[in-house]
Amino acid sequence: MNKKLILGACLGLLFASCSTDKFEREIALVPQVKEMSPVRGVYTIKATTPVGYAQPDLLPAAELVSEMINRSTGWDIKPVNGTIQGINLSVDSMMPEKNGYTLSIDKESVEIIGQSYEGVISGIQTLRQLLPPAIELEKGLSRHNQITLPIIDIKDNPTYQWRGMMLDVSRHFYSVEEVKELLDWMSLYKMNKFHWHLTDDQGWRIEIKQYPLLTEKGAWRKFNSHDKSCLYYARHEDNPDFNIPEEHLKVVAGDTLYGGYYTQEQIKDVVSYASKLGIDVIPEIDMPGHFSAAIANYPNISCFNQAGWGNVFSAPICPGKDEVIEFCQNVYDEIMPLFPYEYYHLGADEVEKINWKKCPNCQKRIKDQGLKNEEELQSWFVHQMEDYLNSKGKKLIGWDEIIEGGLSETSTIMWWRSWVKDAVNQAAENGNESILTPNEYFYFDYRPDAGTLSKVYNFNPELDGLTPEQKDLIKGVQANVWCEWIPSQERLAYMIFPRMTATAEIGWGKKPGADFEDYKKRLMPHYDRWDLMSVNYRMPDLTGFHATNVFTDSAKVDVKCDFPHAVIRYTTNGRIPDENSLKYEGPISIDTTTHFIFRTFRPNGSKDEFVHTSYVKQSPAASSDVSKENMKQGLNLKSYEKQYKNCEDFTKGAKLLTDSNVDTIAIPEGASGHLGLMFTGYIEIPSDGIYTFKLLSDDGSRLYINDYLVIDNDGPHAPKEVVGQYAMKKGLHPLTLYYFDGNNGGSLKLQVLSPEGKELNDIFLN
Ligand code: ACM
Ligand code: ZN
């Protein structure tokens, strides 16, 4: 190892010595770099500093550097071919670490050597993070006649080669400029794969010349229920980020239509923009399900010549008809010249197979091909498409459902169903590679809360139960942004910042002992950078309270925010706080039940989301006088089948499936579908006091004790934890917990904490 390098801490202070650039800057790199020397002084970039590139292929990378400096300073630095005394870029493909780089800054020059073009870009992004945040702002450094960099040596490389972001442009449409901005954001954090979800039931977004109706009609819709709920949130949550951008609306024959699509030329432009940033683009044409935007306009590709919905998902295309296979291949024929990267995503998730059971063409295909069932028919279709892609030199990725019915030897699975815990193990046993996107961690359409960032950061891609060779089959991690409730670029930024940076750090690879606190500290200066980039980030969460907080006499409301520039405002009258609401200046003492709504404001005055918290005055609830004598450990669990929307009228119209005694509150093995669970029994409280309950569920849940609603986590939603408190006397208290799941793959967990904060177990009886 180079002696100058140490496996050092990533936080250091850089002091500028020149009077024109008075600043004190933290070295705060995200993702964390593998090796970094101490800072030994300052290098200055001037208007005369050239940017050299050793190999002609590096011209686009050199342009990135000169454009970044020129834009912020107003200078006119030009890239020059060759090695010069200034900022030098070169590739040395013999470097040992794939896509790694070194960045060496001394008094005379800045040297970035990458193992590949992508490695050079990663080095440039580290350089960018070493420059003052004002580098992000047009004319942000125009008063300066020089900029400083720390004299430092960095040696760095990615642990995982796949660090992806997926954007769904079907549920809401994003313009070419918006997609390019996302690519810029990704690049700053060394994210290198852009998965573009281009088609789905709600809109077809890519021009296919042979099938013009796909975009002429399939790219446009009247407002659907998601659009309407976005507009509802915009109004009822005082949040303009939920408005649908007017530029994507058009009026046709008196109807307002919403949508848009990319021409093939625009796609090429985006792919080339990404390539300059070292990002590969993976198109997804989701099939055989999620295809109704196409079926509505070419109905013959479905089993019964019409678009429609089955029990849960849309009716798929018909793999029994040869012309359907041809249709899909023709679509790919037009797409392949646009996307040079070898990987293509076929989707293959959430396929509703009821039509296939009834369709004579599908049944004939099953018989002719000697298939066992509709799962194998799905596999047969995926294999057909994979063979086709392979014949053109491309490789197939599919959502993890492609395991069902038989995985080919060569496909890569994208694991999204957190609840199918062994999906990656199954793939690995078959020798297939995986990309990790488990929804519980990496679905960035799920609304974040105070626990989200640490949860993402602490995801460990070294999954259990894999041999070292099988671990090598994990290509990396990716975050997916489904856009049903993300109609604007502002909302998109809000949902990915800062979570994307945690994903970046997992994928780049954390050093042993890296922890969330250190990451949070390193992240803090990035908020200043995002301010200058006009990124609508989510501010660090307010802490110091739960959804409900119980007190018996009086309480001190002590709200904290890690972000030093946050302005916190609040109300106690149920109104959403605005810029005129009371400013929170320090702890508030209360002695009556009070409902607070807190909201943070960014340094530029823009509003973050708001958060409710209730402080409830209670006397400890008396215990029940039932006898323990004939009770057994655990709870009674009744499971039901019904299309639940919430936990009200739980048993009404529901079919009882099971009735049994269970040890813990959890979803029983194998339970799925339109499911309701009702747990009843008693909770045994060891001493008088205020108890804390953490109830996590997907979808909704409610916890009642003594018929009092302790936690309301109801309604259809992604995994969400609600924390509340309840004061009780020692003894037995009757408890009921309701849970429902509206689709497949829910989650449910209850934790009970003593007044001292200790987790209590084995406290249920019935
Ligand atoms: C998915 O979320 N249906 C891949
Ligand atoms: Zn069919």
Side-chain angles (χ1 to χ4, degrees), residues 585-604:
E585 311 268 18
I588 304 167
S589 295
I590 50 167
D591 57 11
T592 54
T593 291
T594 310
H595 183 82
F596 290 90
I597 307 180
F598 285 101
R599 191 172 200 179
T600 42
F601 290 70
R602 298 188 189 86
N604 68 3

Side-chain angles (χ1 to χ4, degrees), residues 290 349-350 399 401 416 443 480 482:
H290 287 273
D349 56 323
E350 299 181 325
W399 297 109
E401 283 96 329
W416 73 278
Y443 269 32
N480 298 332
W482 301 101

Side-chain angles (χ1 to χ4, degrees), residues 302-304 317-321 355-356 359-363 377:
S302 64
C303 290
F304 301 109
I317 49 179
C318 175
K321 298 180 186 170
N355 276 1
W356 294 359
C359 167
N361 291 314
C362 286
Q363 291 306 314
L377 179 59

Side-chain angles (χ1 to χ4, degrees), residues 85-118:
Q85 187 140 344
I87 302 171
N88 276 306
L89 311 179
S90 60
V91 165
D92 174 4
S93 57
M94 300 307 283
M95 284 169 81
E97 304 290 358
K98 187 168 179 199
N99 292 324
Y101 69 92
T102 56
L103 167 60
S104 317
I105 306 177
D106 62 24
K107 276 212 149 25
E108 265 78 53
S109 64
V110 175
E111 205 74 53
I112 294 176
I113 307 173
Q115 189 272 335
S116 58
Y117 182 86
E118 193 185 311

Side-chain angles (χ1 to χ4, degrees), residues 166 171 195 197 200 284 286 290 313 345 347-350 398-401 414-417 419 437 439 443 445-446 480 482 484:
M166 187 216 79
R171 275 54 176 262
H195 168 180
H197 185 81
D200 214 304
E284 180 186 353
D286 197 348
H290 287 273
F313 308 115
H345 203 304
D349 56 323
E350 299 181 325
W399 297 109
D400 62 61
E401 283 96 329
M414 195 167 262
W415 178 44
W416 73 278
R417 296 179 298 172
W419 66 96
T437 76
N439 64 327
Y443 269 32
D445 48 319
Y446 295 174
N480 298 332
W482 301 101
E484 284 91 338

Side-chain angles (χ1 to χ4, degrees), residues 39 162 172 293 352 381 401 615 623 631 648 682 719 749 761:
V39 174
W162 191 289
H172 284 286
E352 180 79 74
F381 171 79
E401 283 96 329
Y615 281 75
S623 58
M631 290 194 191
E648 270 161 38
Y682 289 85
K749 185 175 173 190
N761 295 305

